[in-house]
Amino acid sequence: MVPFIDLKRLVAKVRGDVLSDWTECLDNCEFVGGPRVGAVEKKLASVLGAPLVVSCANGTDALLVGLQALGVKRGMKVALPNLTFWATFEAVAQLGAIPVLVDIDPDDLQMSLEELRAAHDAHRFDAAMLVHLYGWTSGRLSEIRAFCKERGVALLEDGAQCFGVEVQGEPVLAKAEVATLSFYPAKVVGGAMDGGAITMQTKEREAFVRSICNHGRSEHYSYAHVGWNSRMGGVQAAFLLRVLAELPAILESRRAAAKRYRERLSGDKRIKVYGPPAGVTENGYLNVLTVESKKGQQIVDALKAAGVGAARTYPEPMDAQPPAKAAGAIVHGDLRHSRSICERVVNLPLFYGIREDECDTAVEALLAAAKA
Ligand SMILES: Cc1ncc(COP(=O)(O)O)c(C=O)c1O
């Protein structure tokens, strides 16, 4: 039996230190905010190469706040890839803005620059969200950033899945105007509960984000904005600090498994394993593959019957979700690449500490399922 994910392997590594940190948190009543939250923000900034980082309660709040920091308001149009986690769409809809759904590049599976350009010509959106999906990023990242700048489109980068990804050796979010992170436990850097963060380049934006994540406060009982209650506490920060200390080992383990899958499956013409474009170093967040002339669900069912945990990230694109219509989503083009990958996508087990023999068991089960 190979699980799709086993968080216990990372927990085992940090358990002793975390327990003693948590005892200190309890003794100091370090529940909301506190020194460990400040320390985790500093550590995140240094690892991500981003000048400023503000923590918050989860990655979805980070998207909401990030969009607000870029001036997104009710009625504005915001472009986003049709292939992403629902939270990306949700944040736009929650602000009363109008999602504009854009297709992906069929090679790297990230939002297509050509489609983004055409969508802007057609719909003149005010902002865009680029999601660094699956553990890598677009091969055209710098062109997408330049295009948005040139057209005056505010760009939010959803970095929930890209912790540790590098572009030409530099952390992917280092130069993002505003980017967001999720510390949902299954992420590359996962917390002990929900958590998130926003990165930015300027002190002005940092002050706005800090305020808006804390009820829009200017003073304890004075408010400059209508904000949210979206804050991190010491218990979560302590856990994240211990996980961040293991980041090199986490990335090494995940990248090795991703590489093993790619190598072991490269000989089978029916199987296509997706991965980072040239110049991009993946973080090993997810294994992403398709099997010729098979639906993804067929393969996942066969893998599960063989005792191998597998998933489908994601089985349906944004435009297929019932609330998308009610949110007034604009569909740009035929979205055929995002729809097609959703039908076919399969993910093999991939997590910190997965063993080579477990990867090999998953490979054997996949090869059998592809042949059947
Ligand atoms: C691409 C993407 N965006 C946003 C989120 C939302 O993050 P959270 O679950 O922390 O709210 C996630 C993950 O859950 C995600 O994968």
Side-chain angles (χ1 to χ4, degrees), residues 18 21-22 25 30-33 36-37 40 44 55-59 181-185 187 189-197 231-244:
V18 165
D21 292 346
W22 280 356
C25 287
E30 216 178 302
F31 299 136
V32 177
R36 285 181 173 82
V37 174
V40 91
L44 288 168
S55 59
C56 67
N58 57 68
L181 297 164
S182 161
F183 304 120
Y184 179 74
K187 300 297 185 208
V189 172
M193 59 190 83
D194 279 315
R231 301 175 298 209
M232 190 178 279
V235 169
Q236 167 77 324
F239 187 88
L240 284 173
L241 283 166
R242 294 297 178 184
V243 170
L244 282 164

Side-chain angles (χ1 to χ4, degrees), residues 78-84 88 100-117 119 125 127-134 136-141 143-145 147-148 153-158 332 335 337-338:
V78 182
L80 65 133
N82 196 37
L83 179 71
T84 181
T88 318
V100 179
L101 300 174
V102 175
D103 209 0
I104 54 164
D105 179 307
D107 293 324
D108 64 23
L109 307 180
Q110 314 289 307
M111 187 161 66
S112 151
L113 173 57
E114 278 73 29
E115 288 298 311
L116 186 69
R117 256 198 208 119
F125 46 78
M129 297 164 93
L130 179 61
V131 184
H132 304 296
L133 204 64
Y134 293 147
W136 57 86
T137 186
S138 168
R140 312 193 61 187
L141 175 57
E143 288 172 84
I144 292 172
R145 285 176 178 161
F147 168 76
C148 288
V153 170
L155 181 63
L156 177 69
E157 300 188 25
D158 181 344
H332 176 73
L335 301 175
H337 297 305
S338 44

